[in-house]
Amino acid sequence: MSVDAIAPKPAPIPPQPPAEPPTYPQWLGHPKPLWMLFMTEFWERFAFYGMRWALVLYIVAQFYRGDASGEAPASELYGAYLALVYAAAIFGGYVADKLIGYQRAILLGALFMAAGLFLITIPTDAWLKLGLATIIVGNGLFKPIISTMVGKLYAPTDSRRDSGFTIFYMGINMGAFLAPILTGLLAEKVFGSDGMPAYKVVFIASGIGMMISLLWFWFGRKQLKGVGAAPAGATGPGRMVAVTIGALAAIPVYYFLLTIDAGVLNWILIALFVAPAIMLLVEGIREGARQRDMVIAMLIIFGFNVLFWMFFEQAGSSFNFLAQNIVDRDLGGWMFPVGWFQSVNSIAIITLAPIVAWLWVKMGSANPSIPRKFGLGLIFNGLAFLLLMFALSSLVDPATLKIPFWTLFMVYVIQSVGELCLSPIGLSMTTKLAPAKLTGLAMGGWFLSIAIGNNLSGMFASSVSGEGGMTLASAHAGYTFGFWALLGAGVLLFLIAPLIQRLMHGVK
């Protein structure tokens, strides 16, 4: 017997408590860096939503000379772009955690996004896709990281933590609210007209917004006192150069994915989703029946999440064509800009979020389970399409062949109620149901489910427009399908909710 075998075993090292954040100056009851991150995210969301409403309209106007036959390919490209934005977010966490740190990931991501927005202004199809691919790479580095930074400002036991995230969430919605209003005014009232919007100005304004976000964080990051800095031993330029080269190399990959058929891209995204799903299921089985059941419940809800985003994300594609061509935007001689409809969601979220949160608390033990909240999200999304069905069949003005302004406005409001039932609990649910060893992988699965839904949203919008562009008949047929699909899924989820709840083993 060796000496090692008879020597006393060292005591196991107890788990280390999470590192306490530095002591920060306070402003309005919160760490001062929160407000710096608030404005950084505000301008990033300004950039993202500033160009969102204009993208498909610009593609039709610039590359199809305004011909409605361009609506279908424009919608598919938009869906692919949005899908890859979410898929790219999976890699950002690894790069920040292991390679360059959170601060440098945010700066590099902002730089790539700004460059991509300016590239879009070059009026060729190749530069458009190159610009979108560059934005995708930048978003993958930026978006999943800045939210994590907010959490690092507070100790795990700090009671202000949830309030801090609420303030940060307001920054997201304020940027999303103001961006379409400002860029819509610039495009349709200042540098162009309602008939000939100056879409380039939209992308330039969004690019400037992204540069402000970059500079705001660059000058404000000293307030973080080292939180989110590069990992030990990685403070030099070597890893930063390597990640930059890797990001540049990823641009042609995303460019290629933007050029392939949307159906092929969907199979690629599904394959990317299946791999972590199998790994999660295997780990769940290894940990026992309880964890296996929880993984199964999580994957079932992921499937319904795909359907929700498939129809919710019509906001950036088919709803824009609907607003431009079929909605009566003449308000007493003043033409309501198309892009302003994009701000309705943010207004509704800011207004209704406290009400919905209060309602869940007020309901107490009658508070719906997670599956039923998802079911409500699907049903409210479906009710928005029911309103469109009614408007397109019964409210069409025979003289103008357009539907009333209020109908599309209320569609965005009703969809926002559905979003509040579903979206805020998705990430929380994932962290609770996933195996502890694979929580990050499960978060990747959540983002991939949204990515698949976004790509399908482009394919659905393409079918609504058809080969010749959106008409009253094609819109009615498409949105009728959307209503029945969402209603059916919502009702099904309500019916099987007790089964899913049992699989969740008490997780609420």
Side-chain angles (χ1 to χ4, degrees):
M1 185 177 289
S2 69
V3 174
D4 290 338
I6 61 175
K9 299 292 184 183
I13 299 173
Q16 298 299 308
E20 291 289 319
T23 301
Y24 292 116
Q26 304 293 298
W27 193 61
L28 297 180
H30 286 272
K32 193 174 179 181
L34 172 67
W35 306 99
M36 182 272 294
L37 296 175
F38 174 99
M39 290 305 300
T40 301
E41 179 70 355
F42 169 91
W43 285 110
E44 187 274 332
R45 290 291 88 184
F46 177 94
F48 184 85
Y49 284 97
M51 59 85 75
R52 179 179 181 237
W53 71 269
L55 185 58
V56 293
L57 302 177
Y58 166 72
I59 292 170
V60 173
Q62 180 66 43
F63 304 115
Y64 294 88
R65 298 182 179 181
D67 191 274
S69 64
E71 291 180 9
S75 294
E76 289 190 354
L77 179 60
Y78 170 78
Y81 157 70
L82 208 60
L84 293 171
V85 160
Y86 277 93
I90 299 167
F91 306 106
Y94 177 83
V95 169
D97 276 331
K98 305 297 184 183
L99 299 178
I100 60 174
Y102 290 84
Q103 292 187 22
R104 294 199 292 184
I106 289 171
L107 290 169
L108 188 61
L111 184 63
F112 271 84
M113 281 192 282
L117 286 161
F118 289 124
L119 288 174
I120 292 175
T121 63
I122 303 174
T124 70
D125 181 70
W127 282 105
L128 169 69
K129 291 186 175 70
L130 185 66
L132 292 176
T134 306
I135 295 170
I136 290 166
V137 170
N139 198 277
L141 290 166
F142 185 104
K143 186 58 184 169
I145 305 307
I146 192 158
S147 299
T148 308
M149 289 290 293
V150 174
K152 291 182 177 294
L153 300 180
Y154 300 88
T157 56
D158 194 328
S159 60
R160 301 172 301 164
R161 189 183 184 91
D162 287 348
S163 175
F165 272 101
T166 301
I167 292 169
F168 184 73
Y169 188 62
M170 293 295 286
I172 294 173
N173 280 287
M174 286 178 63
F177 163 66
L178 291 174
I181 293 177
L182 180 58
T183 57
L185 279 174
L186 292 173
E188 297 184 358
K189 306 299 180 184
V190 179
F191 293 99
S193 64
D194 184 66
M196 295 187 66
Y199 293 118
K200 280 188 182 181
V201 177
V202 175
F203 306 133
I204 291 171
S206 297
I208 292 172
M210 199 63 240
M211 287 301 299
I212 295 173
S213 176
L214 170 63
L215 293 172
W216 203 285
F217 188 79
W218 173 268
F219 288 109
R221 62 199 170 111
K222 291 181 180 178
Q223 300 176 27
L224 295 168
K225 296 185 176 181
V227 169
T235 55
R239 289 193 183 185
M240 192 69 174
V241 171
V243 169
T244 302
I245 293 172
L248 289 169
I251 292 175
V253 176
Y254 287 118
Y255 180 96
F256 168 75
L257 293 173
L258 289 170
T259 63
I260 64 177
D261 180 78
V264 175
L265 176 59
N266 215 57
W267 284 113
I268 293 173
L269 292 170
I270 290 172
L272 289 173
F273 177 81
V274 167
I278 292 173
M279 292 171 67
L280 288 163
L281 195 55
V282 169
E283 180 63 26
I285 293 170
R286 184 180 295 122
E287 293 187 15
R290 184 177 185 275
Q291 186 61 70
R292 176 204 62 199
D293 291 348
M294 291 167 67
V295 170
I296 292 172
M298 180 178 66
L299 294 177
I300 291 172
I301 292 177
F302 281 3
F304 284 98
N305 192 50
V306 168
L307 195 66
F308 178 87
W309 293 105
M310 171 182 175
F311 293 104
F312 184 88
E313 268 304 333
Q314 296 308 300
S317 50
S318 74
F319 285 178
N320 278 331
F321 296 124
L322 187 75
Q324 184 183 56
N325 303 320
I326 297 178
V327 174
D328 183 3
R329 296 180 288 115
D330 188 346
L331 304 180
W334 182 76
M335 194 66 67
F336 187 87
V338 172
W340 286 22
F341 281 107
Q342 303 286 316
S343 294
V344 178
N345 172 252
S346 296
I347 298 172
I349 293 293
I350 292 170
T351 304
L352 297 175
I355 298 173
V356 172
W358 171 84
L359 183 62
W360 296 146
V361 174
K362 188 71 175 176
M363 293 178 73
S365 60
N367 191 358
S369 64
I370 288 175
R372 285 198 165 146
K373 283 180 179 175
F374 266 75
L376 284 171
L378 289 162
I379 290 170
F380 272 104
N381 200 356
L383 291 176
F385 283 85
L386 178 62
L387 176 56
L388 284 176
M389 285 172 56
F390 174 69
L392 291 164
S393 62
S394 304
L395 300 180
V396 178
D397 186 322
T400 62
L401 297 180
K402 293 187 175 183
I403 61 176
F405 167 86
W406 68 267
T407 55
L408 184 57
F409 185 96
M410 286 307 301
V411 162
Y412 279 99
V413 173
I414 297 169
Q415 279 196 321
S416 299
V417 176
E419 181 186 2
L420 286 169
C421 291
L422 178 147
S423 187
I425 64 171
L427 293 175
S428 175
M429 173 209 69
T430 301
T431 59
K432 293 174 183 177
L433 295 178
K437 295 179 181 178
L438 296 179
T439 302
L441 188 67
M443 296 293 282
W446 167 260
F447 283 119
L448 278 170
S449 72
I450 298 175
I452 295 168
N454 286 335
N455 189 57
L456 288 171
S457 78
M459 296 170 67
F460 173 71
S462 174
S463 70
V464 171
S465 289
E467 294 183 0
M470 183 182 289
T471 63
L472 286 168
S474 70
H476 183 265
Y479 296 148
T480 298
F481 170 79
F483 165 68
W484 287 112
L486 287 164
L487 179 67
V491 170
L492 174 62
L493 192 48
F494 250 78
L495 293 175
I496 65 173
L499 170 62
I500 297 175
Q501 196 63 38
R502 283 198 296 273
L503 292 172
M504 292 169 68
H505 290 276
V507 171
K508 298 182 181 297

